[in-house]
Amino acid sequence: MSEIGEALAFAARLYGERAHIAYSGYVRRDLMARLHLRDGRANPYPIYERIRERGTLVPARVDGDWVTASHRVCHSVLRSRRFGVQPAPGDDISFLGMNPPDHTRLRRLVQPAFSPKVVASYRQRIERTVAGLLDRAAAAGEFDLVPAFSAPLPIAVITDLLGVPDADAGDFARYGAAIGSALDGIKSLRHASELLANGVKLHKLFEDLIGLRRREPADDIISRLVTASGDQVKPDEMMPVCVLLLIAGFETTVNLISNCVLALLAHPGQWRDVCDAPRELAAKAVEETLRFDPPVQFTDRIALEPAEVEGQAVAKGERVVTLIAAANRDPEIYDGPGAFRLHREPGPEHLAFSSGIHYCLGQPLARLEATIAIQILAERMPHLAQAGPVRRRGGTIIRGPLHLPVTAGRAAPVRQPAGHRG
Ligand code: HEM
């Protein structure tokens, strides 16, 4: 098909899908479709509760054939070998979109870079980055937390981890953010062509970097991948792994930090508790945010063979949407699930990082980054307050603010870096 033909076919699919969502949501009152409409995007949680009321596995018209809000059912579908993933053609999401054995082979290769020991070795670098960002923000007094703090931190960490030279880090960040915007779907033809253009530039940057690390390996993930022995990584598998790590590092941790700050500012008593004991309570605040308002709201699995789930027959090829954000508020599992309580008794693990073989590879890093961010923020800016309206991202899968204006209030004395460790 010619490029114009492809573009037209794409536009027809895109606008057909939009019309289907609007029809299913407004006319058929389909709950999954309503998540995509204005109210659902602003606050999906009441819709999740209505899905839960209908049963543990209910038919859907948008995003999949079935949907579940149950912790037990999400957990079991995500862990079941009868279910797997099926990426849309053209998606560059590497092993996130693969089933075993390819998934196992590629994940194993990258895993050592995210071991507890390696991740712990990033602590000081993360602390330095956080302190630097807060210095700049404090000087401004009033600032937008997302672009000034939550977003630059994960970008700095992941570009460092991948071994991106400082001189190129800005370009990687720009192209990566543009591609990450597709996680929530392509919005228009213009968006699609921007993605394509940024994708080409990002690939070129990675190609050069991969070439450099072949000649001069260093202590980073890309060097590890290119020096991997034998046929462990096929040449055309390299680029998607790099893109996956870049985007996964960009688009998620930013929302964990912002959602945590939002929840704490909405619960001033708990923010005061964190400020009184930042080292002890920052990690708890992050963990409760992952349960209460997770950055990734849902994922899905395809039945690889016919399966019976909750007494219903799921045919081979049918897609089950696992609403992990709803599972995290399942009253069968959590007491007072709709309340943000950082002093909550530890219970079964939330599903914010999914479960089973695709359980988030980067979770130790995400937890460490967010904990350090909240800890130092509480130490340095205990009088932090919201200074303007929140503007949210537009999609349904990734949840978090795009803009969160805050004021630092009265400045706290700067502690010595040693005080940040431990
Ligand atoms: C708060 C931050 C994060 C959240 C909420 C998050 C969430 C998730 C979720 C839900 C999945 C599984 C999706 C599914 O089951 O279909 C996943 C997979 C993955 N995540 Fe994360 N993630 C975060 C941060 C990171 C970071 C910082 C990295 C790496 C730099 C990362 C790398 C990955 C990778 C490589 C996978 C694919 C694992 C596989 O397919 O085996 N994530 N993440």
Side-chain angles (χ1 to χ4, degrees):
M1 213 191 303
S2 72
E3 269 179 37
I4 292 178
E6 273 177 30
L8 285 176
F10 172 80
R13 272 203 312 279
L14 180 69
Y15 294 113
E17 174 77 358
R18 283 226 190 128
H20 175 58
I21 287 174
Y23 174 75
S24 304
Y26 290 122
V27 182
R28 305 287 305 254
R29 319 293 289 170
D30 177 76
L31 291 171
M32 278 308 287
R34 300 199 69 158
L35 286 177
H36 291 266
L37 306 180
R38 187 190 296 262
D39 287 357
R41 290 203 308 252
N43 181 9
Y45 292 102
I47 299 177
Y48 297 155
E49 290 318 311
R50 292 180 55 197
I51 293 174
R52 195 190 314 286
E53 280 163 16
R54 290 196 183 171
T56 46
L57 184 74
V58 294
R61 299 175 63 85
V62 168
D63 291 326
D65 304 288
W66 301 91
V67 56
T68 175
S70 151
H71 188 285
R72 177 175 51 78
V73 178
C74 284
H75 196 239
S76 104
V77 167
L78 290 169
R79 296 177 72 85
S80 168
R81 287 298 173 114
R82 291 186 157 179
F83 286 88
V85 292
Q86 188 192 53
D91 271 2
D92 247 3
I93 51 169
S94 184
F95 54 96
L96 180 56
M98 292 177 184
N99 294 311
D102 288 335
H103 171 268
T104 325
R105 173 174 54 87
L106 285 176
R107 179 169 168 126
R108 235 179 236 154
L109 211 66
V110 185
Q111 192 131 37
F114 293 94
S115 73
K117 198 170 146 217
V118 172
V119 168
S121 74
Y122 272 85
R123 173 175 281 278
Q124 283 177 32
R125 271 192 260 184
I126 298 171
E127 286 174 348
R128 266 202 307 275
T129 309
V130 168
L133 292 169
L134 286 183
D135 283 343
R136 248 165 283 153
E142 197 171 308
F143 60 100
D144 187 342
L145 187 101
V146 183
F149 185 56
S150 326
L153 174 64
I155 290 174
V157 173
I158 194 64
T159 44
D160 194 14
L161 210 95
L162 288 172
V164 172
D166 284 347
D168 294 337
D171 287 342
F172 271 87
R174 235 186 345 275
Y175 305 144
I179 293 170
S181 69
L183 283 179
D184 256 319
I186 297 169
K187 295 174 191 71
S188 62
L189 264 184
R190 184 160 164 210
H191 187 197
S193 72
E194 275 169 21
L195 281 178
L196 207 65
N198 283 295
V200 170
K201 289 181 193 152
L202 186 65
H203 276 215
K204 174 81 179 82
L205 280 179
F206 269 129
E207 218 168 67
D208 292 348
L209 185 55
I210 290 166
L212 175 72
R213 293 307 176 219
R214 275 215 174 90
R215 296 189 302 275
E216 298 169 24
D219 181 19
D220 56 58
I221 297 180
I222 293 186
S223 301
R224 191 191 303 268
L225 285 169
V226 294
T227 51
S229 57
D231 56 2
Q232 279 188 28
V233 192
K234 300 174 196 141
D236 61 347
E237 289 175 333
M238 273 294 298
M239 192 73 77
V241 171
C242 296
V243 175
L244 169 63
L245 294 176
L246 189 74
I247 308 289
F250 266 32
E251 288 296 314
T252 48
T253 313
V254 46
N255 298 305
L256 175 55
I257 297 169
S258 305
N259 290 354
C260 188
V261 172
L262 258 181
L264 288 168
L265 292 183
H267 298 84
Q270 299 189 51
W271 171 242
R272 266 194 304 281
D273 288 351
V274 174
C275 293
D276 288 345
R279 279 221 244 167
E280 292 72 25
L281 292 184
K284 287 199 169 188
V286 167
E287 220 46 39
E288 178 63 349
T289 304
L290 284 163
R291 186 198 67 81
F292 174 77
D293 198 15
V296 179
Q297 295 269 300
F298 58 87
T299 179
D300 60 41
R301 292 293 183 269
I302 299 274
L304 301 174
E305 53 186 87
E308 197 186 293
V309 181
E310 299 297 284
Q312 315 241 36
V314 177
K316 181 176 173 182
E318 284 188 334
R319 190 180 290 269
V320 177
V321 178
T322 47
L323 291 174
I324 55 189
N328 286 357
R329 293 187 180 202
D330 187 337
E332 276 185 24
I333 304 286
Y334 303 103
D335 188 34
F340 179 84
R341 283 190 210 146
L342 83 109
H343 299 290
R344 188 176 280 284
E345 289 295 315
E349 195 180 342
H350 55 71
L351 297 179
F353 292 120
S354 188
S355 188
I357 61 169
H358 294 281
Y359 182 69
C360 176
L361 185 70
Q363 59 78 21
L365 181 66
R367 282 180 157 125
L368 183 68
E369 283 179 43
T371 301
I372 293 173
I374 297 300
Q375 182 193 319
I376 302 184
L377 188 67
E379 287 169 357
R380 299 271 296 268
M381 297 186 182
H383 300 289
L384 191 77
Q386 200 172 322
V390 172
R391 238 186 67 211
R392 291 200 163 271
R393 301 171 59 111
T396 50
I397 298 177
I398 308 278
R399 181 168 161 82
L402 271 179
H403 295 286
L404 172 49
V406 290
T407 154
R410 276 180 285 134
V414 178
R415 297 190 188 177
Q416 292 308 306
H420 298 148
R421 299 201 187 108

